[in-house]
Short mmCIF file of all heavy atoms in Angstrom, two decimals:
data_model
loop_
_atom_site.label_atom_id
_atom_site.label_comp_id
_atom_site.label_asym_id
_atom_site.label_seq_id
_atom_site.Cartn_x
_atom_site.Cartn_y
_atom_site.Cartn_z
N HIS A 73 5.00 -10.47 5.12
CA HIS A 73 4.01 -11.45 5.66
C HIS A 73 3.88 -11.22 7.16
O HIS A 73 4.82 -11.46 7.92
CB HIS A 73 4.48 -12.88 5.37
CG HIS A 73 3.60 -13.96 5.93
ND1 HIS A 73 3.01 -14.93 5.14
CD2 HIS A 73 3.22 -14.24 7.19
CE1 HIS A 73 2.30 -15.76 5.90
NE2 HIS A 73 2.42 -15.36 7.16
N HIS A 75 0.63 -10.71 10.55
CA HIS A 75 -0.79 -10.80 10.94
C HIS A 75 -1.06 -9.70 11.95
O HIS A 75 -0.79 -9.86 13.14
CB HIS A 75 -1.08 -12.15 11.61
CG HIS A 75 -0.77 -13.35 10.76
ND1 HIS A 75 -1.75 -14.12 10.17
CD2 HIS A 75 0.40 -13.94 10.41
CE1 HIS A 75 -1.20 -15.11 9.49
NE2 HIS A 75 0.11 -15.03 9.62
N HIS A 228 -0.22 -19.67 3.53
CA HIS A 228 0.88 -20.37 4.19
C HIS A 228 1.17 -21.68 3.46
O HIS A 228 0.26 -22.30 2.91
CB HIS A 228 0.54 -20.67 5.65
CG HIS A 228 0.31 -19.44 6.48
ND1 HIS A 228 -0.87 -18.76 6.47
CD2 HIS A 228 1.14 -18.78 7.34
CE1 HIS A 228 -0.77 -17.72 7.30
NE2 HIS A 228 0.43 -17.71 7.83
N HIS A 267 6.53 -19.01 4.77
CA HIS A 267 7.32 -20.06 5.44
C HIS A 267 8.08 -20.97 4.46
O HIS A 267 9.29 -20.89 4.36
CB HIS A 267 6.47 -20.87 6.44
CG HIS A 267 5.87 -19.97 7.48
ND1 HIS A 267 6.58 -19.52 8.56
CD2 HIS A 267 4.65 -19.40 7.56
CE1 HIS A 267 5.81 -18.72 9.29
NE2 HIS A 267 4.64 -18.62 8.70
N ASP A 318 6.15 -12.19 10.29
CA ASP A 318 5.07 -13.10 10.69
C ASP A 318 4.58 -12.82 12.11
O ASP A 318 4.11 -13.73 12.80
CB ASP A 318 5.50 -14.58 10.56
CG ASP A 318 4.33 -15.54 10.67
OD1 ASP A 318 3.24 -15.20 10.18
OD2 ASP A 318 4.50 -16.63 11.25
ZN1 LIG B 502 1.61 -16.21 8.85
#
Side-chain angles (χ1 to χ4, degrees):
H73 177 122
H75 302 254
H228 297 81
H267 302 280
D318 192 36

